[in-house]
Amino acid sequence: MFNVQIKPSPRTSTCIEAITVNPLAGTATVRFVSNGYEYRYFNVSRAKILNLLVNPNMSLGFWVQELVDNSKTINYTDRSRTAVLATGQPAYELIGSSYTASAPLPF
C-alpha cells in the first residue's frame, strides 16, 4: 500500500510536538512534547483524519486524546500484531523516542 504521510497545517500545541497522518491506511504517527515518545496509531477513522486535515483550528491535543482514550495497545504476548489489527479496533504501538525536541523527525 502507498505510504502517504501528510502533516496537518501548523498549529501550536503544548502536548503534541509532531503529527503525521495517512488517510489511505488509517494511521497516525504522533510525537509527544512531554517525553518525546513516538506512537503509531492504527485503524483510525478516515473521517476523523480528514476532519483534522480540513479544519486548521482543531486542537491537536484534543484530537490525539480521543485516539489515546479509544485505542488498545498492541501487546505481542497476548496475540500477534496482525490479529490485533484485524479486529478493526483502534490500536497503537510505541515506535521510538527522541532525546531532545530539536532531534530530526523520523517521519
Side-chain angles (χ1 to χ4, degrees):
M1 182 174 269
F2 298 108
N3 189 11
V4 180
Q5 295 291 328
I6 301 172
K7 264 187 156 174
S9 59
R11 43 196 111 169
T12 58
S13 176
T14 58
C15 174
I16 307 303
E17 181 179 336
I19 184 170
T20 60
V21 293
N22 184 339
L24 299 175
T27 61
T29 306
V30 178
R31 180 190 284 176
F32 290 93
V33 170
S34 61
N35 52 17
Y37 288 173
E38 298 163 3
Y39 292 91
R40 179 157 299 127
Y41 292 86
F42 302 93
N43 297 326
V44 179
S45 166
R46 286 158 180 82
K48 290 181 182 181
I49 291 174
L50 291 176
N51 193 20
L52 176 69
L53 293 174
V54 171
N55 295 320
N57 294 329
M58 182 180 287
S59 168
L60 291 178
F62 285 127
W63 193 85
V64 170
Q65 185 63 46
E66 185 178 350
L67 281 180
V68 171
D69 290 344
N70 296 328
S71 297
K72 307 281 189 254
T73 185
I74 294 177
N75 191 351
Y76 295 111
T77 58
D78 294 342
R79 295 182 282 174
S80 72
R81 180 179 188 270
T82 307
V84 172
L85 295 178
T87 63
Q89 300 264 334
Y92 68 93
E93 66 181 346
L94 177 68
I95 59 171
S97 63
S98 65
Y99 57 90
T100 177
S102 61
L105 294 175
F107 48 86

